[in-house]
Amino acid sequence: MPETSFPLRVLNEEIVACRKCPRLVRHREKVAREKRRAYREWTYWGKPVPGFGDAHAQLLILGLAPAAHGANRTGRMFTGDRSGDFLYAALHKAGFANQPTSLDRDDGWHLRGAYISANMPLRTAGKQAPA
């Protein structure tokens, strides 16, 4: 598995600890508490979702936050939803991934030459961008 560079590790730790957008924090934590019936036995991630993949990637894929019952549940962008099923199969077919499916962040799935991250809300002059 490609190693994550030190700066990316630090950035991802900061992302996971971030609480700067109170509305988003409330939403993701509420979803993680209330859960969807199909996932009621899951322990939801319920935190900001860090990027993952090859630190020297030539392909960058951005997902949208907050991915309520996908990434918010699994802790990995696109994992656990239909868009991820399609994307991960395509990445595997194109040689960027070691397997065609991913169910959770500890399933051994990894990328070569690609990196996936979330598109985060913008902030301008200390004010949150309109939703």
Side-chain angles (χ1 to χ4, degrees):
M1 173 151 88
E3 288 293 315
T4 301
S5 69
F6 179 74
L8 276 177
R9 259 195 323 269
V10 170
L11 174 62
N12 283 338
E13 289 170 6
E14 289 178 13
I15 288 170
V16 170
C18 184
R19 299 185 64 82
K20 290 183 179 178
C21 302
R23 189 170 55 117
L24 184 55
V25 170
R26 282 190 306 274
H27 174 72
R28 73 165 188 259
E29 290 177 354
K30 178 180 185 228
V31 169
R33 275 190 318 274
E34 295 178 358
K35 304 177 183 180
R36 183 176 276 173
R37 180 178 290 161
Y39 306 118
R40 69 176 162 232
E41 301 302 319
W42 280 71
T43 299
Y44 274 53
W45 172 257
K47 298 178 267 192
V49 179
F52 70 97
D54 187 341
H56 304 288
Q58 294 183 350
L59 174 65
L60 173 64
I61 300 168
L62 290 177
L64 296 173
H69 299 284
N72 193 48
R73 175 173 51 90
T74 66
R76 186 190 288 158
M77 287 305 300
F78 296 108
T79 301
D81 60 37
R82 288 188 197 137
S83 62
D85 295 344
F86 173 81
L87 176 63
Y88 290 170
L91 287 169
H92 179 258
K93 186 175 181 178
F96 288 105
N98 67 316
Q99 60 194 47
T101 60
S102 177
L103 301 174
D104 64 59
R105 58 186 289 117
D106 297 318
D107 62 9
W109 192 85
H110 65 266
L111 293 167
R112 293 176 302 268
Y115 194 85
I116 296 177
S117 189
N119 179 18
M120 294 298 170
L122 299 175
R123 290 188 169 264
T124 306
K127 294 183 180 180
Q128 187 169 346

